[in-house]
Amino acid sequence: VKRTTKWAAVLPGAGQVINKKYWKVPLVHASLGFSFYMIKHNTDLMDEFKQAWIYETDDDPLTVSELTDSNGVLYTESDLENGTYVYRRYRDLSYLSLVGFYLLQIIDANVDAHLRFFDSSEDLSLSLLPPRGYGDLWQVGLKLNLR
């Protein structure tokens, strides 16, 4: 169990391979890859809005952003400021999703390792034992066979 958890922490998806749950490995890699993609995407948009916001507020008529035309019509200064903060929030949430997916695959590998040797045989029976003894001792027993 410790070995599986350590490998899952070092190399995402390795714990699932050790547990022979091969179908989970593409899910682990896809979720982490999507998180990295969203971090990059939101960072790029945040930087673009931030640079345009800087150009709008520097009072230099020669610096013009791609997000505004020569008249400054596409986005107002307020829109650029809000866009910068929105995409920063999205980027931060993407980092949180990356950490969440990373921890989730470690927990999944650990739980699977614990349950690997769990006996789930077909003999799950319940029987009522008849009363035993005479005189003062009457017993009613309940027997639960898990094997």
Side-chain angles (χ1 to χ4, degrees):
V1 174
K2 288 181 182 179
R3 185 185 107 203
T4 304
T5 306
K6 286 179 185 176
W7 272 104
V10 171
L11 183 64
Q16 285 73 17
V17 170
I18 291 170
N19 292 330
K20 297 181 179 154
K21 303 281 184 168
Y22 303 111
W23 63 272
K24 291 182 179 181
V25 176
L27 297 175
V28 168
H29 288 203
S31 62
L32 295 176
F34 181 72
S35 294
F36 277 119
Y37 170 77
M38 291 309 295
I39 289 169
K40 172 84 169 98
H41 176 72
N42 290 320
T43 301
D44 290 346
L45 288 172
M46 180 193 70
D47 290 342
E48 189 176 347
F49 271 82
K50 184 177 178 182
Q51 190 60 49
W53 182 27
I54 290 170
Y55 285 160
E56 281 296 311
T57 58
D58 70 354
D59 295 330
D60 185 3
L62 298 177
T63 55
V64 177
S65 168
E66 318 68 63
L67 295 178
T68 58
D69 59 7
S70 59
N71 298 327
V73 176
L74 295 179
Y75 289 102
T76 65
E77 184 179 324
S78 173
D79 293 337
L80 295 172
E81 179 182 9
N82 289 336
T84 302
Y85 290 132
V86 164
Y87 286 114
R88 183 176 69 183
R89 186 178 320 121
Y90 290 165
R91 182 207 55 193
D92 295 346
L93 288 173
S94 298
Y95 274 114
L96 285 176
S97 73
L98 175 68
V99 170
F101 285 130
Y102 178 75
L103 291 176
L104 185 64
Q105 65 92 22
I106 294 172
I107 292 168
D108 176 66
N110 184 286
V111 169
D112 276 346
H114 276 288
L115 295 178
R116 188 181 338 168
F117 301 109
F118 180 73
D119 181 23
S120 61
S121 64
E122 296 296 321
D123 185 23
L124 298 175
S125 61
L126 183 68
S127 62
L128 185 63
L129 299 177
R132 293 191 264 173
Y134 295 100
D136 298 347
L137 298 174
W138 284 86
Q139 294 181 349
V140 176
L142 190 62
K143 182 179 176 186
L144 177 64
N145 288 330
L146 296 177
R147 293 181 197 210

